[in-house]
Amino acid sequence: MSPRPVDLVIIGASFAGLLCAKAAALRGLRTVIVEAKEEPGARIHTTGILVKEAADEVDTPAQFSRAIHGVRLYAPSLRHIDLASRDYYFLTTDTAGLIRWFADEARHAGAEIVCGRRFETARRVEGGFELPQFNLTARYVVGADGARSTVAKLFGLGRNERFLTGLEIEYDSLPKADPDLLHCFLDTRLARGYLAWVAPAPGFFQVGLATNDKVKPDLKAFLSHTERLFGFSQASVKERRSGLIPCGGPVSPFAAPGVLLIGDAAGHVSPLTGGGIRLAFRFGRRAGQLIADHLLRHGPPPEAVLARELPSFTKKLALRGVMDAGPPNWLYDLVIGTPPMRWFAKKVYFHHRNPPALQEGPQPGAED
Ligand SMILES: Cc1cc2nc3c(=O)[nH]c(=O)nc-3n(C[C@H](O)[C@H](O)[C@H](O)COP(=O)(O)OP(=O)(O)OC[C@H]3O[C@@H](n4cnc5c(N)ncnc54)[C@H](O)[C@@H]3O)c2cc1C
């Protein structure tokens, strides 16, 4: 049987791939997504918190999320400050449910999703590519296949080289945790290069940490360090997960004729915060629009437009260097309650806005 011709094949049915597929299919491209897992949203590897900018960028059903307005930031000694914003929030999510919803949206737009099959190879043919495993030809291929992209490897594109490693446990409930706050822990011994966190999600709690390659992540040590605050030993574990977070900035090159990387595959992750969902939304969707315009409406090459729109991450890469070096724990303990630290933390958490605090000075329970 001769291969079926389609316009666009996207590898990876997560945030970037599904948003790309929906936009491309709505604009009229015959679009197929290939996903290695048994279904979109299976065995997720992320905490899945959406910053407000991501929630503003893409509308999602309220049933999959919970708005959190405040952050409790702890020093290694467990002294803490509370940061809050009236007009800024994070959405913690039922990430699996949300990804399944995005998959339904992509299908409704006309995209086809092939699950349970890992993409391994494609070859260039006249007018595009042949994907023999799927008996398809495509005019365009998008790699939305995550931190260790097969598409990048196959087509000789840039690959992520610097990572944080994240470990996470989901608990059914943590009665001792304040459910209205995102709890974040600075600790170079336990979470060198990043943070540890306790996040109240819709109907459950996520507890995790990430470290750079200088330290092996040890979630057990964090659980015992904070046991008296949260009572983990009394709680029942729902799920465990781990994953890599690219933190070296955008890969280069991110495209070749007819091939484009998006999301984690392209290194579209904030090197400072490790957040990638907002950029997966923005540039996943944008890639779908641009590829459709290019193939159907004489639009410019998508990579030329994206190259102009992508952030450079210069400042965040510099701050990544500081985080990687690992400020000593005594320094975090010293500065935690100071105005410069509070100012800096607000900048990072509330994204360069200057939000009015819910209350001036320390919040109840905070040791400022
Ligand atoms: C522990 C952890 C916590 C995080 N927390 C947050 C957070 O709270 N907020 C935030 O914004 N970001 C967070 N991130 C980062 C965020 O998860 C990623 O930036 C985001 O998931 C990127 O989406 P994506 O669609 O590019 O790739 P992914 O979500 O990695 O999806 C890639 C998809 O491609 C599929 N795939 C891979 N290879 C193949 C193949 N060969 N064939 C077929 N399919 C394939 C995979 O199965 C997967 O479904 C976290 C990351 C980790 C590891």
Side-chain angles (χ1 to χ4, degrees):
M1 208 169 44
S2 55
R4 174 164 61 107
V6 299
D7 297 310
L8 172 62
V9 171
I10 300 166
I11 313 302
S14 180
F15 299 106
L18 291 168
L19 272 279
C20 179
K22 179 179 172 184
L26 282 176
R27 290 192 179 207
L29 290 189
R30 294 165 298 171
T31 303
V32 174
I33 317 175
V34 172
E35 169 55 50
K37 293 178 189 164
E38 57 280 18
E39 60 161 344
R43 291 177 283 119
I44 52 151
H45 63 75
T46 180
T47 314
I49 297 175
L50 308 186
V51 292
K52 183 170 182 294
E53 290 80 353
D56 288 344
E57 181 110 16
V58 175
D59 296 317
T60 55
Q63 79 209 59
F64 296 120
S65 61
R66 189 173 193 290
I68 306 283
H69 288 262
V71 174
R72 180 163 290 169
L73 184 63
Y74 299 75
S77 64
L78 300 182
R79 283 180 66 219
H80 60 266
I81 53 171
D82 283 1
L83 308 161
S85 164
R86 221 177 260 129
D87 62 352
Y88 193 91
Y89 55 82
F90 304 91
L91 292 182
T92 55
T93 61
D94 163 4
T95 314
L98 189 60
I99 291 180
R100 282 195 296 271
W101 182 81
F102 281 129
D104 287 342
E105 290 278 291
R107 285 191 192 100
H108 288 150
E112 180 189 337
I113 307 181
V114 177
C115 292
R117 307 217 9 225
R118 175 167 288 278
F119 165 84
E120 280 159 10
T121 190
R123 63 184 183 95
R124 285 189 185 274
V125 293
E126 204 189 328
F129 303 88
E130 186 179 349
L131 292 84
Q133 290 171 273
F134 304 95
N135 200 30
L136 291 172
T137 61
R139 297 168 71 193
Y140 215 100
V141 173
V142 164
D145 50 344
R148 296 245 193 239
S149 166
T150 305
V151 175
K153 188 174 169 193
L154 186 67
F155 291 102
L157 300 176
R159 291 160 73 183
N160 294 302
E161 283 170 5
R162 288 170 68 190
F163 300 96
L164 298 166
T165 304
L167 298 182
E168 193 171 80
I169 299 183
E170 249 178 56
Y171 290 97
D172 279 331
S173 74
L174 289 176
K176 287 170 91 174
D178 185 331
D180 295 321
L181 294 171
L182 178 62
H183 303 262
C184 294
F185 298 80
L186 295 163
D187 193 318
T188 293
R189 192 175 55 85
L190 292 173
R192 191 184 181 109
Y194 197 65
L195 291 168
W197 61 88
V198 174
F204 55 97
F205 282 81
Q206 289 158 299
V207 179
L209 58 74
T211 62
N212 63 20
D213 56 9
K214 296 191 179 99
V215 186
K216 207 166 159 235
D218 184 354
L219 194 47
K220 232 170 134 187
F222 171 70
L223 298 182
S224 22
H225 180 53
T226 52
E227 168 66 25
R228 71 179 168 85
L229 299 181
F230 300 107
F232 300 117
S233 57
Q234 308 299 315
S236 59
V237 172
K238 219 173 141 216
E239 253 181 71
R240 291 174 194 272
R241 61 178 66 99
S242 63
L244 289 177
I245 308 173
C247 64
V251 303
S252 177
F254 67 93
V259 189
L260 184 73
L261 302 177
I262 54 175
D264 275 18
H268 294 168
V269 179
S270 162
L272 179 62
T273 66
I277 298 173
R278 175 190 174 194
L279 296 170
F281 279 179
R282 170 170 303 174
F283 294 110
R285 181 161 152 251
R286 197 72 186 110
Q289 295 170 343
L290 291 167
I291 293 166
D293 285 356
H294 179 59
L295 294 183
L296 301 177
R297 295 163 199 170
H298 312 291
E303 65 274 19
V305 182
L306 283 182
R308 287 196 299 271
E309 295 182 2
L310 283 167
S312 71
F313 289 127
T314 314
K315 276 192 207 146
K316 286 180 178 167
L317 279 166
L319 286 167
R320 162 81 358 237
V322 175
M323 290 295 284
D324 273 343
N329 275 355
W330 63 260
L331 187 60
Y332 283 139
D333 284 328
L334 191 71
V335 300
I336 189 73
T338 62
M341 184 63 184
R342 181 180 282 278
W343 173 86
F344 180 69
K346 277 188 160 186
K347 279 265 185 212
V348 172
Y349 281 107
F350 304 131
H351 287 220
H352 306 290
R353 291 165 181 226
N354 195 13
L358 283 177
Q359 271 178 260
E360 283 310 317
Q363 303 286 299
E367 300 163 29
D368 214 347

